[in-house]
Amino acid sequence: MKRLAVFASGRGSNFSSILEQIQSGNIPAKVACVISDNPQPPVFSIASSVGIPTHWINRKQFSGGDEYAGFLLSLLVKYEVDLVILAGFLKLMPAPVVKRFKNAMINIHPALLPNFGGQGYFGMKVHEAVLSSGVKTTGVTVHFVDEHYDTGSIIRQEKVDVRSGDTPESLAHRVLEVEHRIYPWVIKAFCEGRIKHLNGRIEIEDE
Ligand code: GRF
């Protein structure tokens, strides 16, 4: 049984979709803790309602980056975390944490990376940029986390068609439906040891 830490700052719809799959027994894992840089995110209420510990981390409370990274690492060690899941966490993960969880920290991005990613591409800004670029296809990317925004190895992508008449909201809605399907799918594969690294590419073995 793998132990997961979820970092989330917002509404937590991806967290809910992951939790559902764990509760139904589809993912062999336990959410050990939920961590946020927001003092009262909706995701904390969801976690608390099922007895999952929550932690607010405020970068400003630490004198420097090393102390901040050390605190995050101590939390992840305390909860014996195997996989770190970023689900709407907007802060860059400190390098020592990325290093300790190399190939064991994942993020979901609401576009087809490497396009429409990087600093500043978050939330509705991603969908606005997709629409104004005129591309006909967008999608969802799940990737391992490295020291930069949205550049780690890609684990899984799925396309979503851009329709004429789409607004950022309508597009975000269809993209989110795909996120809720593929993030639990990747997490299940990780927990079952089916994610393989082959010549710089990531492959997922069938169940
Ligand atoms: C999602 O669109 C995800 O792709 C991005 O942040 C958003 C989080 O949404 N990284 P939610 O809080 O899971 O509903």
Side-chain angles (χ1 to χ4, degrees), residues 3 7-8 13 22 33 41 91 94 113 137 155 158 187 190 194:
R3 294 175 60 82
F7 283 71
S13 70
I22 290 174
C33 60
K91 297 280 190 311
L113 293 174
T137 308
I155 305 170
E158 196 167 307
I187 293 163
F190 181 94
R194 290 186 287 108

Side-chain angles (χ1 to χ4, degrees), residues 30-41:
K30 176 185 169 73
V31 180
C33 60
V34 174
I35 298 171
S36 184
D37 60 330
N38 173 352
Q40 286 185 317

Side-chain angles (χ1 to χ4, degrees), residues 7-18 42-43 86-90 107-111 121-124 126-127 139-141 143 150 172 175-176 179-180 183:
F7 283 71
S9 305
R11 82 200 134 179
S13 70
N14 276 287
F15 171 60
S16 296
S17 71
I18 296 160
V43 73
L86 309 188
F89 187 70
L90 302 180
N107 182 44
I108 190 160
H109 185 77
Y121 282 103
F122 60 88
M124 223 37 103
V126 176
H127 306 295
V140 176
T141 303
H143 63 94
D150 301 327
V175 167
L176 197 62
E179 293 186 40
H180 293 165
Y183 216 9

Side-chain angles (χ1 to χ4, degrees), residues 11 13-14 110 123-128 130-131 138-140 160-162 166-180:
R11 82 200 134 179
S13 70
N14 276 287
M124 223 37 103
K125 289 183 194 304
V126 176
H127 306 295
E128 284 162 4
V130 163
L131 286 178
T138 183
V140 176
V160 172
D161 286 338
V162 178
D166 255 335
T167 60
E169 290 73 20
S170 66
L171 191 54
H173 178 77
R174 290 204 310 290
V175 167
L176 197 62
E177 283 178 350
V178 174
E179 293 186 40
H180 293 165

